[in-house]
Amino acid sequence: MLEDYRIEGSRAADIAASVESGVRTGGLGPGQPLPPVRELALELGVNANTVAAAYRSLRDRGVIETAGRRGSRVRDRPASTPREAIRPEVPEDCVDVSTGNPDTALLPDLHDALASAAANAARRSVRYGDPAVSEPFARAARRQLDGDGVPDGPLAVTSGALDAIERVLTAQLRPGDAVAVEDPGWGSLLDLIPALGLRAVPVAVDDEGPLPDEAARALREGARALVVTARAQNPTGAAV
């Protein structure tokens, strides 16, 4: 058994959650070997198949890797590890653009807009049964979408791009499906894919976005979704 972290659980889902918690909190470090299936099963008092199922789940989620007789170990870059914990050190004389944060001096002044929103909320709070999207907002968005050539259809409002991507992938895909993503790509998206139980398939990019041949290859190989950043790609800044 491990000396510094105790894996617990009586069901496969609980055992997997315990391992993932250890990876997330640092109790199980990158590259650390896990107990053999039979040894952990004996320690927990469960069937070996239960532990094997937990390990399969962790492998599919990108948390651990298995190497036959060499056993299972936490991946060097496990999906459950916060990306900030595995990013390289940035020299003092360099600007870290990997976070994607803009120069706050270039952002517009939102004081009036936020004050107006607060005043509107004070006059009439949102209630159960109200429309999910306000009509004036929907009309304004529709005008912009029409200008971009986006076909008419239902409008959904999400809390940022990552929320929108998560909703689409959750609705359309199933755990184990492959998703083609830009390489290099947005760190938050690369964290989201394995968190949903999906597999990331890299697609190379240049100054104008994903390479068409690379995207076609990923789709031929079974990717059921392709996530493309239309403009201001992170980290390259490319625009399609």
Side-chain angles (χ1 to χ4, degrees), residues 15 39 99 175 211 220 239:
I15 296 170
E39 180 181 329
T99 62
L211 300 178
R220 285 197 306 270

Side-chain angles (χ1 to χ4, degrees), residues 13 20 22 25 29 41 47-49 55 57 60 72 81 106 110 119 121 141 148 163 234:
E20 198 159 357
T25 59
N47 190 289
N49 291 334
Y55 279 13
S57 173
D60 293 342
S72 302
T81 300
L106 302 178
L110 298 178
D148 290 337
D163 182 28
N234 186 340

Side-chain angles (χ1 to χ4, degrees), residues 96-100 182-187 190 205 229 232-238:
D96 183 6
V97 298
S98 64
T99 62
E182 298 161 330
D183 181 25
W186 184 21
L190 300 180
V205 300
T229 309
Q233 199 264 1
N234 186 340
T236 68

Side-chain angles (χ1 to χ4, degrees), residues 20-227:
E20 198 159 357
S21 176
V23 173
R24 186 171 56 251
T25 59
L28 296 174
Q32 184 165 350
L34 295 178
V37 169
R38 295 188 182 279
E39 180 181 329
L40 181 58
L42 181 62
E43 176 71 21
L44 298 178
V46 300
N47 190 289
N49 291 334
T50 301
V51 176
Y55 279 13
R56 280 196 303 271
S57 173
L58 291 164
R59 182 192 61 203
D60 293 342
R61 289 175 59 81
V63 179
I64 69 172
E65 57 188 6
T66 55
R69 293 183 178 179
R70 288 181 293 174
S72 302
R73 63 183 61 243
V74 179
R75 291 182 59 188
D76 289 336
R77 293 172 63 91
S80 298
T81 300
R83 197 159 293 270
E84 303 80 29
I86 54 179
R87 65 194 310 166
E89 293 291 334
V90 179
E92 293 183 1
D93 57 345
C94 295
V95 176
D96 183 6
V97 298
S98 64
T99 62
N101 288 318
D103 184 346
T104 55
L106 302 178
L107 296 178
D109 183 2
L110 298 178
H111 179 272
D112 291 342
L114 294 175
S116 176
N120 289 336
R123 286 193 296 270
R124 185 179 185 279
S125 300
V126 177
R127 299 170 298 179
Y128 293 118
D130 285 351
V133 181
S134 72
E135 287 300 324
F137 181 85
R139 288 194 297 270
R142 187 67 256 169
R143 286 195 296 271
Q144 292 194 19
L145 294 172
D146 289 341
D148 290 337
V150 178
D152 193 10
L155 179 68
V157 179
T158 65
S159 180
L162 195 66
D163 182 28
I165 294 171
E166 179 178 2
R167 292 180 185 221
V168 172
L169 295 180
T170 300
Q172 299 296 329
L173 275 61
R174 296 293 180 269
D177 285 345
V179 180
V181 295
E182 298 161 330
D183 181 25
W186 184 21
S188 296
L189 175 62
L190 300 180
D191 286 337
L192 173 66
I193 298 298
L196 295 178
L198 305 172
R199 296 183 295 109
V201 177
V203 173
V205 300
D206 61 11
D207 291 343
E208 297 180 346
L211 300 178
D213 290 345
E214 282 284 289
R217 172 194 55 76
L219 295 176
R220 285 197 306 270
E221 293 177 357
R224 298 201 56 221
L226 170 63
V227 182

